[in-house]
Amino acid sequence: MKAREIILCGLFITLVAAGAFIRIPVGADVYTLQFLFTLLAGIVLGPRLGALAVGTYVLMGIVGIPVFASGGGPGYILQPTFGYLVGFILQAYATGALTRRKPPTFRNVLWACTVGMGIVYLLGIAYFYFASNYIIHVPIGFWVALWYCGVLQVVPDFILCLAATYIGLRLHKAGLWLTERKGSRG
């Protein structure tokens, strides 16, 4: 990896970790900026390095570094919200790949972010339902999980998709997007 790639990956690992602790209260809910920074990791770093940065963050949390919103450690895999963390890795990859497939217009980047949001929701809600019902034995109906973990979160998360699109395009104009080198996978 080039020095620029290492520095930007380290920056995004730090931003995602910090984003887990930046809490924005909205009514009874509290939102973090973790979702914004995982989107930006894919947009700026590209699919391979975006997924690597977010995956490194998740690995750091699993080995016990308290970078997750509720701490860290191997036991976090059994938490109902762990599926969102796995979703963030795939989201960064998909968002990075989709932003490089077409010209970086607002519409194209927003589409990539929205697809990334769908990936996080799919994995997050499915794992939340499974873990609640079969791991920690706190039964929750599928439609209730879909409502609380998906429907109620769509508007705030879509606003973060808009913000990531705007910021990502500004960073592109500043020449800060990484491009995949020939011969690299991603």
Side-chain angles (χ1 to χ4, degrees):
M1 287 175 55
K2 294 180 181 177
R4 181 178 185 213
E5 293 172 340
I6 293 169
I7 291 167
L8 285 173
C9 281
L11 173 68
F12 275 99
I13 292 167
T14 304
L15 286 171
V16 173
F21 297 101
I22 299 172
R23 300 173 193 274
I24 303 167
V26 178
D29 285 327
V30 176
Y31 297 92
T32 68
L33 293 184
Q34 191 174 33
F35 182 70
L36 172 69
F37 293 131
T38 57
L39 285 169
L40 284 170
I43 292 170
V44 173
L45 300 175
R48 182 178 59 90
L49 293 176
L52 177 66
V54 177
T56 300
Y57 160 77
V58 172
L59 184 61
M60 288 168 55
I62 291 172
V63 299
I65 300 170
V67 294
F68 297 149
S70 298
Y76 212 87
I77 294 170
L78 303 176
Q79 295 294 320
T81 57
F82 185 73
Y84 291 99
L85 295 170
V86 174
F88 288 153
I89 300 167
L90 297 176
Q91 170 214 59
Y93 185 88
T95 303
L98 291 172
T99 55
R100 279 145 180 84
R101 192 170 287 170
K102 294 183 179 181
T105 64
F106 192 87
R107 181 179 177 178
N108 291 340
V109 176
L110 181 60
W111 169 250
C113 290
T114 305
V115 169
M117 182 174 81
I119 291 168
V120 170
Y121 279 27
L122 179 67
L123 291 171
I125 295 169
Y127 194 84
F128 188 90
Y129 174 79
F130 176 80
S132 293
N133 286 295
Y134 302 108
I135 296 175
I136 63 171
H137 303 290
V138 178
I140 185 170
F142 176 75
W143 296 110
V144 173
L146 184 63
W147 177 258
Y148 284 105
C149 299
V151 175
L152 293 179
Q153 310 305 319
V154 168
V155 172
D157 285 344
F158 187 73
I159 291 169
L160 291 176
C161 285
L162 289 168
T165 300
Y166 176 77
I167 294 166
L169 288 171
R170 299 287 299 208
L171 293 172
H172 182 266
K173 288 179 184 174
L176 293 175
W177 280 22
L178 295 180
T179 57
E180 297 289 333
R181 293 188 308 268
K182 290 186 179 192
S184 67
R185 298 185 153 235

